[in-house]
């Protein structure tokens, strides 16, 4: 699951992939809205990876 965290890096660091003005979305060139779209996508990916990892309860650690 942690490999999902590489998707934003690959998607955003390869600038020639999205260095275009068309198609526009609400007047924003593709260059800008593509980058802005990665903000919620990255948050969702981080949440998915976080939820997939096992966590120890703080209460259980204090009792040991």
């Amino acid at each position: 699951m942690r490999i999902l965290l590489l998707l934003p890096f690959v998607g955003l660091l390869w600038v020639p992939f999205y260095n275009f003005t068309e198609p526009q979305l609400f007047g924003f060139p593709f260059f800008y809205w593509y980058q802005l779209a990665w903000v919620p996508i990255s948050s969702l990916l981080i949440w998915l990876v976080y939820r997939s990892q096992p966590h120890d309860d703080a209460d259980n650690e204090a009792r040991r």
Side-chain angles (χ1 to χ4, degrees):
M1 285 296 286
R2 290 183 183 177
I3 198 83
L4 290 175
L5 297 177
L6 293 176
L7 289 176
F9 289 108
V10 172
L12 290 169
L13 289 179
W14 188 27
V15 177
F17 176 71
Y18 61 91
N19 192 14
F20 302 106
T21 57
E22 296 293 329
Q24 292 189 359
L25 181 67
F26 304 117
F28 288 100
F30 182 71
F31 180 79
Y32 292 113
W33 69 260
Y34 177 80
Q35 293 177 66
L36 289 173
W38 276 103
V39 173
I41 294 169
S42 298
S43 299
L44 178 66
L45 292 174
I46 291 169
W47 179 77
L48 286 172
V49 171
Y50 174 78
R51 296 284 293 171
S52 71
Q53 301 299 314
H55 300 285
D56 292 334
D57 290 341
D59 293 335
N60 288 341
E61 291 295 324
R63 292 178 189 161
R64 290 181 186 177

